[in-house]
């Protein structure tokens, strides 16, 4: 079993890395291959012969259908960064003890752990591609908040966008019975 315990490497801007297992967390899902990237915070993986959609825990990237050009451009940049770093690669997935196994859309809720132990969710926040998703409680929130503060100070990514709501998307059409 692996805990969601992570250690900073000690130098500003360095990635957060997975620490040693302590037997208190959920099993780390290994030998997972990323088959597609939907946006900056949702991927599809192949594991144990099946495909699963995964929502990255604790982060929120801009929406691809945002009505504002600058926000949409950041959404595309986040998706492309994720594609370059993950598509076709083997990763590990770690469940968070404060989250359920799946979200309301049936997606697995996971931290993406790179082969070198880097928490990819935190990397997205640190590089300004994502904000911390404050709506829910999760184990790594304080670490992600530190990474977010660093990105804000550097005025990068989502922190360089014009002021406004984090998302402004077209209203969904009304459901018909």
């Amino acid at each position: 079993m692996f805990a969601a315990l992570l250690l900073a490497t000690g130098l500003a801007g360095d990635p957060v890395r997975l620490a040693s297992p302590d037997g208190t967390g959920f099993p780390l899902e290994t030998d997972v291959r990323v088959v597609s990237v939907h946006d900056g915070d949702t991927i599809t993986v192949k594991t144990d012969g099946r495909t699963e959609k995964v929502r990255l825990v604790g982060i929120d990237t801009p929406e691809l259908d945002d009505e504002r050009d600058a926000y949409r451009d950041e959404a595309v940049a986040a998706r492309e960064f994720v594609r370059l770093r993950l598509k076709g690669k083997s990763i590990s997935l770690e469940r968070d003890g404060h989250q359920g196994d799946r979200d309301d859309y049936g997606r697995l809720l996971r931290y993406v752990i790179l082969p070198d132990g880097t928490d990819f969710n935190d990397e997205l926040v640190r590089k300004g591609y994502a904000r911390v998703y404050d709506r829910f409680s999760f184990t790594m929130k304080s670490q992600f908040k530190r990474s977010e503060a660093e990105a804000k100070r550097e005025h990068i990514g989502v922190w360089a966008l014009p002021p406004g709501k984090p998302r402004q998307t077209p209203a969904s059409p009304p459901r018909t019975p």
Side-chain angles (χ1 to χ4, degrees):
M1 306 276 281
F2 288 79
L5 174 65
L6 299 174
L7 297 174
T9 58
L11 300 173
D14 282 350
V16 171
R17 298 188 188 282
L18 187 66
S20 59
D22 69 0
T24 60
F26 291 95
L28 194 66
E29 300 163 66
T30 58
D31 288 331
V32 176
R33 182 163 302 275
V34 178
V35 294
S36 65
V37 174
H38 302 278
D39 57 30
D41 52 36
T42 308
I43 61 176
T44 295
V45 300
K46 187 166 192 161
T47 180
D48 295 330
R50 68 184 195 287
T51 57
E52 289 276 4
K53 206 175 238 193
V54 178
R55 173 65 165 80
L56 279 63
V57 171
I59 69 167
D60 191 33
T61 59
E63 299 298 319
L64 292 166
D65 64 344
D66 198 292
E67 295 175 337
R68 300 160 297 178
D69 291 340
Y71 283 73
R72 206 170 37 252
D73 291 346
E74 280 300 315
V76 170
R79 181 183 61 191
E80 291 310 307
F81 180 76
V82 174
R83 276 189 182 149
L84 287 170
R85 294 279 281 144
L86 298 184
K87 189 165 183 210
K89 307 251 172 65
S90 289
I91 59 166
S92 296
L93 298 175
E94 186 172 9
R95 186 173 167 192
D96 184 273
H98 292 285
Q99 297 283 314
D101 188 47
R102 295 180 183 271
D103 67 6
D104 292 342
Y105 302 101
R107 300 175 294 191
L108 291 173
L109 295 168
R110 298 293 189 268
Y111 296 103
V112 169
I113 309 300
L114 301 179
D116 69 357
T118 299
D119 180 334
F120 186 67
N121 304 33
D122 183 65
E123 182 176 334
L124 287 169
V125 174
R126 192 171 24 81
K127 292 184 181 256
Y129 290 109
R131 298 173 183 268
V132 174
Y133 201 18
D134 276 324
R135 187 172 165 198
F136 301 102
S137 175
F138 59 97
T139 304
M140 296 305 300
K141 189 179 262 189
S142 61
Q143 171 57 45
F144 286 15
K145 284 292 201 180
R146 286 189 294 275
S147 295
E148 184 177 78
E150 182 181 320
K152 280 181 184 179
R153 273 192 309 276
E154 294 178 15
H155 204 64
I156 58 174
V158 297
W159 305 110
L161 289 171
K165 295 178 183 179
R167 65 183 62 222
Q168 188 171 312
T169 56
S172 300
R175 289 186 178 189
T176 54

